[in-house]
Amino acid sequence: MSPTEDPATAVFARRVLDAYRRTPGTTGHIRPADRRLARDLHARGVSVQTVDDAFLLASVRRFARPLPSRPPATVRSLAYFLPLVEELLATPIEDGYRRYLTSVLQRTISRPR
């Protein structure tokens, strides 16, 4: 955290970047541009839940496909998820659907390839 950074922004950025690191299919590496984008999302008033939902939805869309498919390319930037953040700002997902997506992702990630 820089001396002038708001503590709430730092907490938001840390939570988003930690979740990004854990998202299946990402490199797990945080770049300076990712840190800036996380701070920008906080400045725009985007919630951590919305960003988490974007990670979840993207993961399901990327991995829940027929077995013969090749694995998707590795995501190398938090910016990859921006279109989904925008989509979810316009149409948030409900708790029940979030639970469903989580179960789909868990089954997909755990199935043998």
Side-chain angles (χ1 to χ4, degrees), residues 63-68 104-113:
F63 291 102
R65 51 170 134 207
L67 283 176
V104 168
L105 183 60
Q106 288 170 347
R107 283 191 313 270
T108 301
I109 297 293
S110 65
R111 75 180 176 201
R113 290 250 170 208

Side-chain angles (χ1 to χ4, degrees), residues 18-57:
D18 286 347
Y20 168 71
R21 253 188 225 110
R22 291 188 310 270
T23 299
T26 64
T27 62
H29 299 292
I30 305 299
R31 302 170 316 127
D34 298 327
R35 292 182 196 288
R36 281 191 302 276
L37 179 54
R39 289 191 302 267
D40 291 347
L41 290 170
H42 183 261
R44 288 180 50 199
V46 175
S47 70
V48 171
Q49 184 65 64
T50 298
V51 179
D52 284 345
D53 288 347
F55 296 155
L56 175 61
L57 189 56

Side-chain angles (χ1 to χ4, degrees), residues 79-101:
Y80 174 88
F81 299 96
L82 269 180
L84 280 167
V85 168
E86 298 301 329
E87 179 181 328
L88 293 168
L89 287 171
T91 310
I93 62 175
E94 296 181 10
D95 290 338
Y97 189 56
R98 184 179 300 111
R99 286 190 297 275
Y100 168 74
L101 289 174

